Amino acid sequence: MLINVKLFASYRELVGQEKVGLQCEPGATVGEAMQRLEQTYPVLGRQGYSPLTACNLRQVGRGHVLQEGDELAVFPPVSGG
Amino acid sequence: MLINVKLFASYRELVGQEKVGLQCEPGATVGEAMQRLEQTYPVLGRQGYSPLTACNLRQVGRGHVLQEGDELAVFPPVSGG
Amino acid sequence: MDESADIIRVTAEPLDVTALMQSVRLDSSGAVASFVGVVRDHHEGRRVHHLVYEAYAPMAELELHNIAAQMRQRWQISRVALAHRTGRLEIGEASVAVVVAAPHRREALEACSFGIEQIKKTVPIWKKEFDDDAGEWVIGDPSAT
Amino acid sequence: MDESADIIRVTAEPLDVTALMQSVRLDSSGAVASFVGVVRDHHEGRRVHHLVYEAYAPMAELELHNIAAQMRQRWQISRVALAHRTGRLEIGEASVAVVVAAPHRREALEACSFGIEQIKKTVPIWKKEFDDDAGEWVIGDPSAT
C-alpha cells in the first residue's frame, strides 16, 4: 500500500524533498514505515534527536497501524513560539 | 498652622469642594486634623468606610505629624483598574 | 536598564496599547505581555452605562513608578509601561494597561500579573459607575492597601 | 460562547495584535490579556539576524483549536485568538500571539500563560535561526510533547 510521507524542517532538508511516496506492506505500523524510510534515507537516522510522527494530522506513536493513502508526517521536536 | 486638605471621589462630593484649608495646632497629627475636618463636615464620618490619608503624596497613618503647608489628601479605598 | 525608560501615564486621553507595546520592546526582548482592563457592561449584577475615573494624579504617578520598580526588582524585564485613564469612559474603552517586555515569556507574564494586582491595590484612582441615570462610587477593599 | 468564535491563524502575513485584541473583546469582557513572542537579536549566546518559521499548517491549526478548547474548559473566558506567523521574520517582528478576553483579569492572565506554554509544546512549527550567513534548525524538547 502507498503511504504519503510529508517531511518537515530539518528532515525535509536532509531528504531534499517535502513529500515522499512510501510502499509498505498492508497493515504496516508507523514504526515499520519509519524503518523503511530510514533504509532509503539513512541520514534521517543519524541525527541527535528522534523524529515525531503524525498520521492524518494527529500525533501517533510507532505502534499505530497505517492504512492505504494515509498522510504520515515526520518532523523533529517542535520549536515554534 | 495651615494644612492644605485635598478631597477625592466620594469625599470630594460629600464636602462639595476638592480643596479645603484647615487650621491646626502646631505639631498636630493626621488623626487630629481628621477629627477637626469631621467636626466641620460631619457627613465625612458617616460613611460605611474609613478615609485613607496621604501627606505630600505618600500614604500615612493617623499618627503622622503634620507640618505647616503640608498637603493632606483624604480619599476612600482605591478602586481603579 | 535605566528606570527612566519606564512609561508611566495617568491621562484623560485614550490609551494606545499598540504604541505602548512598541515603546517597551527592545531588540533583546523576546516577549511582550500585556494586560488591558476594559469597561464592561455590568458589575456585580448591575448594568453599567459608562464609568468615570478620578485620580490623585501626582500620587498615582508616583505609585505607578513604585510598582514598576518592584517589577524590576522581582523579575528580569526590559521595560514596563503602566497607564491609567481618567475621566469618562464608555463600554469597551481601555481603563488601564500594563505592558511588559522581557527576554523570556515567564518573566513578562508574571510581572504583568503582579503589575495589575498592585495597581488595583495601591494607586489612588477611583471609579464611579453610572447606569442609565445615577452614578455611584465604587469603594475599594480597605484591607488591600 | 461558541467555539467557532475563536480566532486561529497560521499565516505568512504580519500578525496584527491590535486587530486580534479588538476581535476577541465582548461588551461583557472586563479584561484582555495578551502574550506576543517577538524575534530577538540573540539566542543562547548566539547572535540572530533573522528567523524562518516552517509549519505543518493544517495540523498546526488543529492543535491551536485544541489548545483554545482546553483554555475554555479550564477558565471562564469569553474569546481566544491564537496566531502564529510563518516564513521569514526580522528582529522585532511578532512570531506568535495569544490574546484572551475574559470577564475577570485572573482568568484572562492564567489562560494566556497556559496558551503560550501549550503552543510551544504541541504545535507543529519549527524555527530556523540565521546569523549573518548560516542557518540552523532549533530542535525542541522531545519530552515536552
Side-chain angles (χ1 to χ4, degrees):
Chain A
M1 63 181 185
L2 182 70
I3 301 300
N4 301 305
V5 175
K6 292 192 94 171
L7 299 150
F8 291 94
S10 50
Y11 292 123
R12 176 180 56 72
E13 291 187 349
L14 289 166
V15 167
Q17 295 182 71
E18 58 187 34
K19 284 183 195 173
V20 173
L22 191 72
Q23 283 296 340
C24 295
E25 301 299 316
T29 62
V30 167
E32 287 158 357
M34 289 303 294
Q35 269 190 329
R36 183 155 298 195
L37 193 69
E38 289 183 15
Q39 280 161 11
T40 316
Y41 305 100
V43 67
L44 288 180
R46 290 201 295 262
Q47 305 308 313
Y49 46 91
S50 299
L52 300 178
T53 44
C55 180
N56 301 334
L57 309 184
R58 291 175 52 193
Q59 202 170 329
V60 292
R62 292 298 189 269
H64 179 85
V65 176
L66 294 165
Q67 308 218 332
E68 168 79 29
D70 274 355
E71 178 170 296
L72 176 64
V74 177
F75 49 78
V78 305
S79 60
Chain B
M1 64 183 184
L2 181 70
I3 301 299
N4 301 305
V5 176
K6 293 192 95 172
L7 299 151
F8 291 93
S10 50
Y11 292 122
R12 176 180 55 72
E13 291 187 350
L14 289 165
V15 167
Q17 294 183 71
E18 59 186 33
K19 285 183 195 173
V20 173
L22 191 71
Q23 282 295 341
C24 296
E25 302 298 315
T29 62
V30 168
E32 287 158 357
M34 288 302 294
Q35 270 191 328
R36 183 154 301 195
L37 193 67
E38 290 182 13
Q39 279 161 8
T40 317
Y41 305 99
V43 67
L44 287 179
R46 290 200 296 263
Q47 305 308 312
Y49 46 90
S50 299
L52 300 177
T53 45
C55 180
N56 301 334
L57 308 184
R58 290 176 52 194
Q59 202 170 327
V60 293
R62 293 298 190 267
H64 180 83
V65 176
L66 294 166
Q67 310 219 332
E68 169 79 29
D70 274 355
E71 178 170 296
L72 175 63
V74 177
F75 48 78
V78 306
S79 59
Chain C
M1 178 52 46
D2 182 5
E3 282 186 28
S4 62
D6 290 334
I7 298 166
I8 302 294
R9 247 168 239 163
V10 176
T11 173
E13 299 297 312
L15 303 184
D16 185 342
V17 178
T18 310
L20 295 177
M21 291 173 85
Q22 281 162 355
S23 306
V24 296
R25 196 195 62 79
L26 302 176
D27 280 354
S28 57
S29 311
V32 179
S34 70
F35 177 84
V36 180
V38 177
V39 180
R40 61 196 178 112
D41 58 8
H42 63 283
H43 179 64
E44 291 175 1
R46 282 179 300 123
R47 190 181 125 71
V48 173
H49 180 271
H50 68 275
L51 295 182
V52 170
Y53 284 93
E54 178 173 331
Y56 183 16
M59 183 176 166
E61 287 175 10
L62 212 58
E63 282 294 329
L64 291 174
H65 275 291
N66 281 343
I67 293 168
Q70 289 175 58
M71 290 163 74
R72 288 182 180 294
Q73 266 180 352
R74 297 172 65 151
W75 291 279
Q76 200 212 327
I77 55 181
S78 315
R79 272 187 188 159
V80 175
L82 303 177
H84 204 298
R85 179 105 181 260
T86 59
R88 176 177 169 143
L89 277 76
E90 309 301 327
I91 306 299
E93 287 196 275
S95 57
V96 60
V98 176
V99 185
V100 185
H104 300 289
R105 67 185 184 284
R106 267 174 227 268
E107 284 82 349
L109 282 160
E110 287 180 14
C112 184
S113 179
F114 173 85
I116 182 61
E117 295 299 323
Q118 290 304 110
I119 286 175
K120 293 184 79 91
K121 280 184 196 163
T122 70
V123 178
I125 297 179
W126 304 271
K127 174 168 36 193
K128 192 172 186 177
E129 286 179 357
F130 289 80
D131 62 16
D132 288 315
D133 32 58
E136 190 174 337
W137 286 102
V138 179
I139 304 302
D141 177 3
S143 67
T145 316
Chain D
M1 177 52 45
D2 182 6
E3 282 187 27
S4 63
D6 290 335
I7 299 166
I8 302 295
R9 247 168 238 162
V10 176
T11 173
E13 299 297 310
L15 303 185
D16 184 343
V17 179
T18 310
L20 295 177
M21 291 174 85
Q22 282 162 354
S23 305
V24 296
R25 196 194 62 77
L26 302 176
D27 280 354
S28 57
S29 312
V32 179
S34 69
F35 176 85
V36 180
V38 178
V39 179
R40 63 197 178 112
D41 59 8
H42 63 284
H43 178 65
E44 289 174 3
R46 283 179 300 124
R47 189 182 123 74
V48 172
H49 180 271
H50 69 275
L51 295 181
V52 170
Y53 283 95
E54 177 173 330
Y56 182 16
M59 183 175 166
E61 287 176 10
L62 212 58
E63 282 293 329
L64 291 173
H65 274 292
N66 281 343
I67 293 168
Q70 289 175 59
M71 291 163 74
R72 286 182 184 295
Q73 267 181 353
R74 297 173 66 152
W75 291 279
Q76 201 212 326
I77 54 181
S78 314
R79 271 187 188 158
V80 175
L82 303 177
H84 204 298
R85 179 105 180 258
T86 58
R88 176 176 168 143
L89 277 76
E90 309 300 327
I91 305 299
E93 288 195 276
S95 57
V96 61
V98 176
V99 185
V100 184
H104 301 289
R105 67 186 183 282
R106 265 175 228 269
E107 283 84 348
L109 283 160
E110 288 180 13
C112 184
S113 179
F114 173 86
I116 183 61
E117 294 300 323
Q118 291 303 111
I119 286 175
K120 294 184 80 90
K121 281 183 196 165
T122 71
V123 178
I125 297 179
W126 304 271
K127 175 169 32 194
K128 192 172 187 176
E129 286 180 357
F130 290 81
D131 62 16
D132 287 316
D133 31 59
E136 191 173 338
W137 287 102
V138 179
I139 304 302
D141 177 2
S143 67
T145 317

